[in-house]
Every structure is written in structure tokens, then in C-alpha cells.
Amino acid sequence: MAVWDDMVGQDRVVAELSLAARDADALVTAQAQGGTAPDGSTMTHAWLFTGPPGSGRVTAARAFAAALQCVSPDRALGATPGCGFCDGCHTALIGTHADVSSIAAVGSQILVASMRDTVRKSFTSPANGRWQIILVEDAERLNERSANAVLKAVEEPAPRTVWLLCAPSVEDTLPTIRSRCRLLTLRTPPVDAVADLLVRRDGVELEAAAVAARATQGHIERARRLATDERARARRKAVLGMPLRVDDIGQCLRAAQDLVDAAGDDAAQMAEEMDGKETEDLKAALGAVAGGRMPRGTAGAMKELEDTQKRRRTRVQRDSLDLALSDLVGFYRDVLALQLGSRVALANGDLRDALDRVARSSAPEATLRRIEAITACRTALDTTTVAPLLAVEAMAVSLRAG
């Protein structure tokens, strides 16, 4: 399976990246001989991947990194880089390649302390690959100091270093950074293409894959989780039951608490999957002895990991809550479509009875006000100073008022 196979609905981007990966080989050869990039080369040292949530920005960037590190012998015969099977492709895709460094926000921002070692590494030669690749998964979360550190590295990169930055839009990055990057804009994948991917890659039944793809409006990873995780389906059902639970103030408050608790459970589930392995890996690296007793002088490292995991849990909870609110917007969008007699496809067609009930009990103007209330709640949650429960309670009351 080629590294591009998971980039559904992105044919133009795949073509551009494939061509750049081919040109990268010629550039490496030219640099080895003391020359410069061949005329017309599409390869450059910095790329900015943008696109809406679920479009696969990080997937595209990691596929490109794998293609640049591809060591398949078929490349010498003219095959497109990125076979997906060689050691270079495999380790780049799973995140263990020595020359592919990935940085993601742990909390609400990527701090400069997290970038220093990565920026320093970007000025070194590749250890065993063709390129030293730095992948920044949440470039929009770079704060002023960490963004300036990236800017200095992008302004004067090492000859064999490539920066891959991912952000929702061009405006989410500093003008001075984006002006030095080649821009690639991804689109939301078609629902049918996402369903096909779930069937082909994850073995999901066609009907379940179609429901998950429609419900998430083409968000690949959310669709996969919804189709394969019973708990995710239960949480979605609980979230989308909220519009039917705001008949009085007491119900509003209970519904808000349930929504925040569901986000907390989601964060806890993800934390269990990541924190345990990280803790055990660090203990092994620090030389934990039998019984789990740590050597002297390692308490600081363990405390730093615990603080990092705590910040990540907070961010994951807020992200999970934001996704739940996004589902609510989709619900009311479907309600509005029914009220206006639109023929657009319903994202939540499996909840048609609930949609009809809400549509009959209110006017389109009230539905628009409810969508605005959810949007305002999402905006409020972007700031760390707002307590999630208070923001969701205010939203729930607005949903009742209509």
C-alpha cells in the first residue's frame, strides 16, 4: 500500500507531493555533487499544509515525509517514491524514523522549550535518511517565542532539512513564516470516499461506514473512531440527545453537566492509552529497578512527565468538548435544512425522528440563534480562563430560549 492511499479526495495534493518527492531525489544528487537544485524543481525546504479539521493535514505531511525517506529499489526504475513497504516509509509513517521529528501541542500552546531541541536538530545532517524532516502538527499553536524560533530555522535552513507545518488556515501562522513556505490546501474529503476508506482500511461494514462518514461530515479520524468504537457511538448519541433535554432550567444544567462529563471520559480514555506507555518507557530509560523503584535523581524527570500529561489531559478534554459542540452544530444544521425544505443530505439521518421533533417545535430563526449560541460557547472555550461547565451551562440555557 503506497503512503498516499489514506489521502482520500486529495488527488491534486497527492500529485504535487509525488512530483516534489521525485524532484527531491534529483536535488539530493545535485547537492552531493556540490550543485544546486535542477531548473524547475518543485522541491523546497518548507511546506505549509492547511485545510479544515478532518481533511488530513498531518496524514498528508507524514505521507510526504515517508516518500522523502523512501528507500525502495523500485525508485531507481522510475517508480513513484512512497512505496509504503520499505523501512524508510514504514518507520516514517509510524513515527520511529531517526530523521523524522514530530512536534505537537501538549497543552494549549507549543512552548519554546519544546522547540529548542528540535530547532537544534534541524541544523544537523540526517543520521541515515536522505532528509532531516521536522513535522509540526499544530503550527497554529506556536506562541510568539516558539514561532520566532521556527522562523529563524526556516529562514536559514540546513541543506538537507525540510520543515512540514500543519495548520487549519494560512492566517493561523505568522506572515513571516508562511511567506517562506510552499502552501498546500487540502479539502474536506467526500463522504463516500471516507466510507470507502473505512471499509478498505479498517474492515468496517459498508452501512456502518456510510453512517459514520455522514455523521462526521468527512472527518476521517472521527469517522474511523465512530465506526469502530462503541463508546464513541454512545457518547455521540448522548450529545445529540441534548436538544431534547432543555425543557426547563434544571434539565439544562443536568444536560450541560453530562456533556462536560462525557468530554472528561473521552479525555480519560485517551490518557489511559498514552500515559501508561509513556510512563513505563521513561522508567525503563531512567533505569528503574525491579519493583518499579526509581534511581536517585530521577524524580524531577518523572514530575515533568506528569505535568506534561496533566496539560495534555486538559487540552484533550477541551478538544473533545469542542468536537461534541461541532456535532451539535451539525444537528441544528440538519434541523434548519428540514425547516427550510432544503434537499441537502442530512448528516444525522439516523436520528431523523429527533430532527423532525425539534424542527416542528421551533422556527428557523430560533434554530439560527441556537447555532450562534453553540458557536459562542466554542469561542469561549478557546480561552483557558473560562470554566468549561459554566460555558456549556450558558449555552444550554440559550438552547432552551431559542
Side-chain angles (χ1 to χ4, degrees), residues 13 16-21 23-24 41-50 61 64 68 133-136 139 154 161-167 173 177-178 180-184:
V13 174
E16 188 169 346
L17 292 177
S18 298
L19 180 58
D23 290 346
S41 174
T42 60
M43 183 59 189
T44 188
H45 71 284
W47 298 75
L48 177 58
F49 295 78
T50 65
F64 185 42
L68 292 177
I133 299 174
I134 311 297
L135 170 56
V136 183
V154 172
T161 294
V162 179
W163 283 84
L164 308 178
L165 309 179
C166 303
T173 59
I177 290 180
R178 63 179 183 249
R180 291 166 171 80
C181 298
R182 179 161 297 164
L183 175 64
L184 286 175

Side-chain angles (χ1 to χ4, degrees), residues 121-263:
K121 184 178 181 180
S122 74
F123 290 104
T124 65
S125 298
N128 52 31
R130 286 183 171 81
W131 300 91
Q132 186 73 259
I133 299 174
I134 311 297
L135 170 56
V136 183
E137 298 184 11
D138 306 299
E140 76 279 9
R141 294 181 185 264
L142 291 166
N143 63 20
E144 182 179 359
R145 294 181 63 194
S146 56
N148 286 333
V150 171
L151 174 60
K152 292 177 182 177
V154 172
E155 281 181 324
E156 300 177 0
R160 299 277 290 278
T161 294
V162 179
W163 283 84
L164 308 178
L165 309 179
C166 303
S169 69
V170 174
E171 290 73 22
D172 288 318
T173 59
L174 286 178
T176 45
I177 290 180
R178 63 179 183 249
S179 66
R180 291 166 171 80
C181 298
R182 179 161 297 164
L183 175 64
L184 286 175
T185 302
L186 285 75
R187 64 181 184 129
T188 299
V191 169
D192 291 343
V194 174
D196 178 70
L197 176 66
L198 295 178
V199 173
R200 171 170 49 85
R201 184 188 65 182
D202 300 297
V204 178
E205 293 292 332
L206 180 59
E207 184 177 353
V211 169
R214 282 196 303 271
T216 57
Q217 290 295 282
H219 193 301
I220 297 174
E221 284 308 308
R222 288 184 63 204
R224 183 196 62 79
R225 193 172 182 196
L226 189 62
T228 59
D229 188 342
E230 179 61 36
R231 287 177 293 184
R233 291 192 290 273
R235 278 192 290 271
R236 171 178 173 263
K237 184 177 180 181
V239 167
L240 296 185
M242 189 175 189
L244 302 178
R245 299 178 56 200
V246 290
D247 292 335
D248 57 54
I249 295 297
Q251 283 187 320
C252 288
L253 299 182
R254 285 192 294 273
Q257 183 67 66
D258 290 344
L259 187 60
V260 173
D261 289 345

